[in-house]
Amino acid sequence: MRWTRHLRLCAAGALAASALFAAPATAQATEPNDGRLTDLVNPFIGTENEGNTYPGAAVPFGMVQLSPDTGHNTGYDYSQNHIRGFSLVHLSGVGCGLGGDLPVLPTTGDVTQTDYAKYAAEFSHDEEEASPGYYRVGLKTGIEAELSATARTGVQRYTFPATDKANVLLNAAQSLHSTVSTKVEVLDSRTVRTAITGRGFCQDTKPYTVYTITRFDRPFTAYGTWDGSTVTSGSKSGRDGAYVRFDATKDRTVEATTALSYVDTHGAAVNLRAEGGRSFDAVRHQAQQAWEDRLDDVRAKGGADGLRRTFYSSLYRSFLAPNIGSDADGRYTGWDQKIHRTDGFTYYQNWSLWDTYRTQSQLLSLLAPREARDMAISVIKISEESGWLPKWGYGTVETNIMTGDPVTPFLTNAYQQGLLTGYEERAYRALKQNADGTPPADSPAVGREADKEYIANGFAPYIKGRPHVKPGDSDYDHGASATLEYALSDAMLAQMARHLGHTADADGYAARAQSYRRLFDPSTGFFRARDASGAFTGPADPAQSEGFHEGTSWQYQWLVPQDLPGMVSLIGGERAANDRLDSFFAYDRLLADPAKTAREVWVNGPYDYYNADKYNPQNEPDLIAPYTYLSTGEPWKTTDVVHAALTLFTDAPTGMTGNDDLGTMSAWNVLSSIGIFPVQPGYDTWGLSTPVFDRVDLTLDRRYFPQGALTITARGTSTAERYIQSARTDGVAYDRTYLTTGSLRSLRSLDFTVGPRPSEWGTSAQAAPPALK
């Protein structure tokens, strides 16, 4: 199914019917005519209202994401109607401008403008379509542009009107980030080479360089370069951009392949030789097949059409990042800015760890363990080559965006999922260094910036207005949430240390994991920030609290997955905790109208993080919160809240809940839809809730899951029949609200019996996920 304007309008008009709570999940789904799961993917979901996704062409985890840029700071905005160019690099759902390297645009006539905001081409969504690995748009200049991709190349096909001045503009100087230096060279009558050094992501960063080579399928008839606004015809070298011209009076089609490398120009040439030389149609077919193979590992049956489309679109976005960073010859640029070569693994980059450690890394460990292992090894390599583990890494540099210690649960998850065989101690050494100290002044990393105070006093202080020592975010600006994140990470590291036999370390980290208690203010019953002297600071009202990153004390209340029983005890016991959860989720209103409550009570705006006492499904801090009911004796409420939140994912450009953050929100949707969710990120605990499909068949890698498959069923699941009455694992009654990865590896079936009312299933004290000791 190609996602054309007509189809999207139909989907938007039927939005209420496609929402989970507006139609039974067992409504008959219409399979694509040829059974292709790629036909269910709508790449335009999330391209409006700051979802910040992109509709262009990529393959799973590809280095290249060839997509249109319309003027939005992260690339494409569905509400805009001019395309400035089709550029090589995009990240799905980031909140700040990043990438957009080498925007290329076909034009006709004389080349008189060099600013892509001025020569941008108007387009209409009526002439636009996208599917996994393919994008097409008809520009109002009369030119049709088509895009596809391999892992390291972007492939374009332009169909011009009859003209002898058919141009392709390659703009090296303008990107979504700031450019430091650029260079353009016309190598011969079919080839253009560029080097682009840029920097920036939310704040300033160290610069990094991308190298490209573009090879056209036929010679051009003229060419030139530009510096600033000065265009020089016949010039073979320039600073800012180049144009090449074709005679399209007879042959109106031009194809081009652009190879990318983060290493050097030789790397771009290696990638072009390895993956170039094929026709556009061949590349498009191969990209679609790569996506079909990836999506086919999850076969969902049942569910209305809209539900299935949002599900498979989320699954698609979950596999867009991290991205391949090594060239076809195995070379890559490390964070020490030196060239290295892989040995038995693929090097990956782009680490939105503050987001992905909660959902996406666990989904990949389940569905793409081979790639997830290489990703974890890549993070270890960053530590060994640069001297410190990353926080938020882009390409070859650290950005230090976001706070806390997200790399620890990312790597301990890989360990708990069995992905670090042969690297266990190397990972542990890097994690121990990160947990027990801070990077030196000459390191670009900030690590656990407030670690000294945290270790000495049990909390990271909130110091308002403290100057930033290094570019990026500062843990001192968000001392309360940094404390909670450090404590979570310590708990996960303690488990890894104990498994590896580092008993003394394990005991120490487990003790530090209780540091969350130092934030609890008995006078308010909530967590509060402490200043450098140890005094509670900021407003006492937990909805107006300070010192929490992109959230309030209400939302961070539940970020204690290592010790929910302890947190519940602080609040006053299960009854008090459930009352507070009910208030947090507006539970009574949710039961009356789930979709309206999710959209009008929970959601305030994509960047409206503060001054709230309700669940924020648009951001990461409380993504785990709906599963807290599994630990408070009322597991059916998890299903109610999760299913209400799922209605926020719709089959429309506005159908994301907040920024996708490199697949974080999409992975939340996928995992919550199939009924298993990582409730202790960094460990191996999977919470259970009612699936939204009658049956989901997972094909799993036998090297990690000996059974090779897992089937999850909930026959008859629907709005009316959504409560778990009983569960069975391989036919044996199961009454706990969680499974471990070890359990999943031995299972072939997880079966839920559902009904119209809550039951006693999962309500015993023994049923809840255990605290980590």
Side-chain angles (χ1 to χ4, degrees), residues 377-416:
I377 293 172
S378 300
V379 168
I380 295 169
K381 289 288 186 179
I382 289 173
S383 173
E384 294 175 346
E385 291 160 5
S386 72
W388 215 266
L389 286 166
K391 180 167 283 188
W392 208 121
Y394 175 66
T396 63
V397 300
E398 173 66 86
T399 73
N400 290 320
I401 293 301
M402 305 313 296
T403 48
D405 177 20
V407 71
T408 292
F410 170 80
L411 278 179
T412 61
N413 171 72
Y415 172 75
Q416 297 293 347

Side-chain angles (χ1 to χ4, degrees), residues 64 66 88 102 104 148-150 152-158 170 190-192 212-218 254-260 268 271-280 283:
V64 169
L66 186 58
L88 288 173
L102 194 65
V104 176
S148 191
T150 70
R152 298 174 179 86
T153 74
V155 185
Q156 308 127 72
R157 178 163 65 190
Y158 302 127
L170 298 94
R190 293 173 59 185
T191 313
V192 178
T212 78
I213 293 182
T214 301
R215 180 77 169 169
F216 292 86
D217 67 337
R218 60 187 172 107
V254 173
E255 294 187 11
T257 300
T258 301
L260 176 65
N271 293 338
L272 184 63
R273 286 196 299 271
E275 300 182 14
R278 286 169 288 171
S279 70
F280 181 89
V283 171

Side-chain angles (χ1 to χ4, degrees), residues 525-527 552-560 567 571 580:
F526 282 86
F527 295 136
T552 67
S553 182
W554 268 100
Q555 290 150 355
Y556 275 93
Q557 181 74 68
W558 321 107
L559 192 62
V560 192
M567 187 272 289
I571 290 175
R580 188 173 292 185

Side-chain angles (χ1 to χ4, degrees), residues 492 558 560-568 574 624-636 638 675-681 683-689 734-741 761-773:
M492 304 310 161
W558 321 107
V560 192
Q562 71 272 23
D563 186 22
L564 281 177
M567 187 272 289
V568 167
E574 281 191 358
I624 311 170
Y627 293 89
T628 306
Y629 284 117
L630 302 182
S631 295
T632 60
E634 296 183 339
W636 66 89
T638 288
I676 58 173
F677 188 87
V679 294
Q680 293 177 317
Y683 200 54
D684 68 343
T685 311
W686 302 82
L688 304 179
S689 64
Y734 190 79
D735 61 359
R736 297 188 178 183
T737 61
Y738 70 96
L739 289 167
T740 66
T741 297
W761 179 84
T763 59
S764 70
Q766 296 74 30
L772 302 182
K773 302 296 185 182

Side-chain angles (χ1 to χ4, degrees), residues 657-742:
T657 172
N659 300 157
D660 196 31
D661 289 322
L662 273 70
T664 299
M665 297 300 183
S666 291
W668 189 95
N669 183 16
V670 171
L671 291 163
S672 295
S673 294
I674 66 177
I676 58 173
F677 188 87
V679 294
Q680 293 177 317
Y683 200 54
D684 68 343
T685 311
W686 302 82
L688 304 179
S689 64
T690 308
V692 298
F693 297 106
D694 283 341
R695 174 173 175 151
V696 178
D697 292 296
L698 304 178
T699 300
L700 304 174
D701 191 322
R702 289 186 180 275
R703 289 188 295 181
Y704 299 93
F705 297 88
Q707 300 294 342
L710 173 64
T711 297
I712 303 172
T713 60
R715 294 173 183 83
T717 183
S718 69
T719 302
E721 305 274 334
R722 68 175 183 268
Y723 296 112
I724 297 173
Q725 307 297 300
S726 63
R728 302 181 76 81
T729 54
D730 285 345
V732 178
Y734 190 79
D735 61 359
R736 297 188 178 183
T737 61
Y738 70 96
L739 289 167
T740 66
T741 297

